[in-house]
Amino acid sequence: MNSGAGRAGQVLIVTGTTTGIGKTVVTAALVAQALGRGERVTMVKPTQTGVADGDSDADEVHRLTGVETHELTRLDEPLAPDTAARRAGVTIPPVATYADPIRVLTQTHDLVVVEGAGGLLVRLDTDGGTLLDLADALCGHEIDVAFVVVTAPGLGTLNHTELTVNALRARGFEPAGLVVGAWPTDPGVAERCNRDDLPRVTGVPLLGVAPEGVGTLDRAEFLAMLSAHDDRDWFAPTGS
C-alpha cells in the first residue's frame, strides 16, 4: 500500500490472476462491506469490453449492491481492451488519464473500488498501459492505493498468483490480501491444499473464499450472505 491516507478517499484496486474467476463478485463484496461500515463508496470499471453482448461488470456490481458505478471506456468485443480497440479502429485513452476522474471521486467518497480487466498485466490501452500504470498515476495524486488479488482455486493457481504478487511488488505495491474466487461447493484435494498454500508461497494473507455461483443471487440474498460472515471471513470461512 502506498500511503496517502487523509488527503482523499482510498482507492482499492481489484485485480485477478486471469479472467472469469470472480473479480466482479469480490468487487461487489468490497463495496457492500464498505456500505455496511457506513462508508461512502463507489465503483469504477476503467475499461469494459464485450458490451455488444451486454457485458457490464459495473452494472453487475450495481445490481448486487445498489451503489453508483462508473464505466469509463466501453468496447464491443469481449477481448483485451487494446485488442478490442484496435479491431474496432477506435482510439482509447492512455490508462493514466483514468486517474483524474477517479481522483475526483475520492473527494466525495471514502472508498473507490476499481475493478481491472482480466489479469494484472492486461493492456488497458493501445500504449501498453496496465493497472500498475493507473496505480502509479493515482499515487502521483497522493491517493492511498491498495490491491486485492482474486485467484482461482484449482491447479496452476500457486504459480499464477505468485507471478501476480511478484509483479505488484516489483512496482512497489504490497497486496492487501488474496481472495479465492469461484470456490467449489465440494472442493477436492488440490483446492484444499491451494487454500492453505497460497498465503504460504506468496506471503500475502488469504482474506477468504467466494463461493461458486454467489453472483447469481439477487441483491437481498447477496447482502444477507455477506452479513452472515464478518469481514475477515468474507463470504465463507476459509477453514470451511
Side-chain angles (χ1 to χ4, degrees), residues 3-206:
S3 181
R7 301 181 181 90
Q10 184 188 48
V11 172
L12 186 55
I13 300 177
V14 181
T15 189
T17 57
T18 187
T19 190
I21 55 172
K23 286 193 307 298
T24 302
V25 165
V26 172
T27 298
L30 285 163
V31 168
Q33 288 174 345
L35 285 174
R37 295 191 296 268
E39 297 179 8
R40 300 167 301 167
V41 58
T42 190
M43 177 268 190
V44 176
K45 183 78 173 183
T47 55
Q48 176 66 60
T49 62
V51 299
D53 297 328
D55 293 345
S56 174
D57 295 335
D59 285 353
E60 185 66 4
V61 171
H62 175 74
R63 183 187 71 81
L64 289 170
T65 68
V67 303
E68 174 190 41
T69 60
H70 309 267
E71 285 179 352
L72 304 184
T73 293
R74 293 165 53 84
L75 296 160
D76 283 343
E77 291 187 291
L79 302 167
D82 68 327
T83 304
R86 285 188 287 103
R87 282 178 52 83
V90 299
T91 300
I92 56 177
V95 68
T97 64
Y98 298 134
D100 192 57
I102 293 171
R103 178 191 61 79
V104 171
L105 289 170
T106 66
Q107 303 303 311
T108 53
H109 295 83
D110 301 305
L111 180 67
V112 179
V113 184
V114 176
E115 181 184 348
L120 178 66
L121 299 184
V122 167
R123 297 185 174 197
L124 303 182
D125 61 28
T126 51
D127 297 325
T130 71
L131 278 178
L132 291 169
D133 299 298
L134 174 58
D136 282 340
L138 289 166
C139 290
H141 287 298
E142 299 188 316
I143 293 169
D144 186 14
V145 176
F147 279 86
V148 166
V149 177
V150 183
T151 188
L155 291 174
T157 194
L158 299 180
N159 177 61
H160 296 158
T161 306
E162 196 164 3
L163 286 170
T164 299
V165 168
N166 287 347
L168 282 164
R169 287 174 175 156
R171 291 283 286 267
F173 296 99
E174 179 61 28
L178 309 174
V179 179
V180 181
W183 184 255
T185 55
D186 185 20
V189 64
E191 288 81 9
R192 294 193 301 271
C193 289
N194 287 338
R195 184 186 59 200
D196 295 335
D197 287 341
L198 279 164
R200 178 181 63 81
V201 302
T202 62
V204 178
L206 179 63

